[in-house]
Amino acid sequence: MTSKNVPDMRQIHHPHEIDAELTRELVDCWVKVTNAGGAAGFPFPPVTVEDVAPVAEQLITGLHPQRSRLVVALVDGVLAGWLNIRRDPHPLVAHWGTVYHVQSHTAFRGRGIGSALMNHTRQVARDAMGLEQLHLAARAGVGLEDFYGGLGWKEIGRWPSALRLAPGDDLDEILMVLTPL
């Protein structure tokens, strides 16, 4: 198997671990995924670097080993995908985390990057963050429940018509859990 088929996974838990080039790649990925119709946090494409960069900067400055980490997939040193795991430190809910912004770069689609990210995230959450379960919310109608379901996630509920993409174009938000890790 060549390096083109095996992503190098990294977890990042401090802002100083991300240089300007990786920041640029994160923003570029987020723009391309969103503009291709991906449900990655910006619901109304098109978006620009100017739209995404401040949100990415806020995410990066909030990184902390116990509260927020990025998991990135690199193929031949190029960002192929990424996501964010966050936990609330409040003792009532500190045993679980939430996965946000799951995305694989459009140039790397069909190579298993998303599955590899999610499988590695399970390990990071369990072994590095001490979490017992993960939660996520996914947009209905685009096959995400099947993707996550194939990786062991279970649908635990829906918020009917929670997402309004346009007048008359409402989608459910699917609530999912992965437990045990």
Side-chain angles (χ1 to χ4, degrees):
M1 192 178 288
T2 68
S3 63
K4 289 183 180 182
N5 294 323
V6 181
D8 175 31
M9 301 300 225
R10 287 183 35 207
Q11 59 176 304
I12 301 169
H13 42 69
H14 286 290
H16 70 269
E17 295 177 73
I18 299 180
D19 62 15
E21 178 60 20
L22 182 53
T23 299
R24 187 197 61 73
E25 287 184 273
L26 285 167
V27 170
D28 177 66
C29 180
W30 211 343
V31 167
K32 285 191 170 53
V33 167
T34 299
N35 290 341
F42 290 92
F44 303 109
V47 296
T48 65
V49 167
E50 290 75 23
D51 298 322
V52 175
V55 179
E57 184 62 30
Q58 184 177 13
L59 190 149
I60 290 166
T61 59
L63 294 175
H64 183 280
Q66 291 303 314
R67 292 188 305 273
S68 181
R69 294 179 186 221
L70 288 178
V71 177
V72 299
L74 303 168
V75 174
D76 294 331
V78 176
L79 183 74
W82 66 276
L83 59 78
N84 179 229
I85 310 169
R86 287 186 242 162
R87 76 147 28 110
D88 185 318
H90 192 284
L92 286 174
V93 295
H95 63 287
W96 58 267
T98 305
V99 177
Y100 295 94
H101 310 299
V102 179
Q103 51 195 289
S104 58
H105 196 289
T106 55
F108 291 91
R109 294 273 167 91
R111 296 191 195 181
I113 301 299
S115 296
L117 270 169
M118 294 305 292
N119 288 328
H120 188 71
T121 294
R122 178 183 221 154
Q123 178 185 349
V124 168
R126 180 187 62 231
D127 299 342
M129 295 179 78
L131 298 173
E132 297 172 21
Q133 59 182 263
L134 287 171
H135 301 181
L136 64 78
R139 182 187 301 173
V142 293
L144 294 174
E145 60 268 46
D146 295 333
F147 169 73
Y148 293 120
L151 296 170
W153 289 75
K154 304 289 184 231
E155 181 177 329
I156 56 167
R158 287 178 180 242
W159 288 326
S161 300
L163 306 172
R164 177 157 294 156
L165 301 180
D169 187 10
D170 295 349
L171 298 173
D172 292 354
E173 187 161 38
I174 304 166
L175 309 175
M176 302 190 84
V177 67
L178 181 65
T179 188
L181 297 179

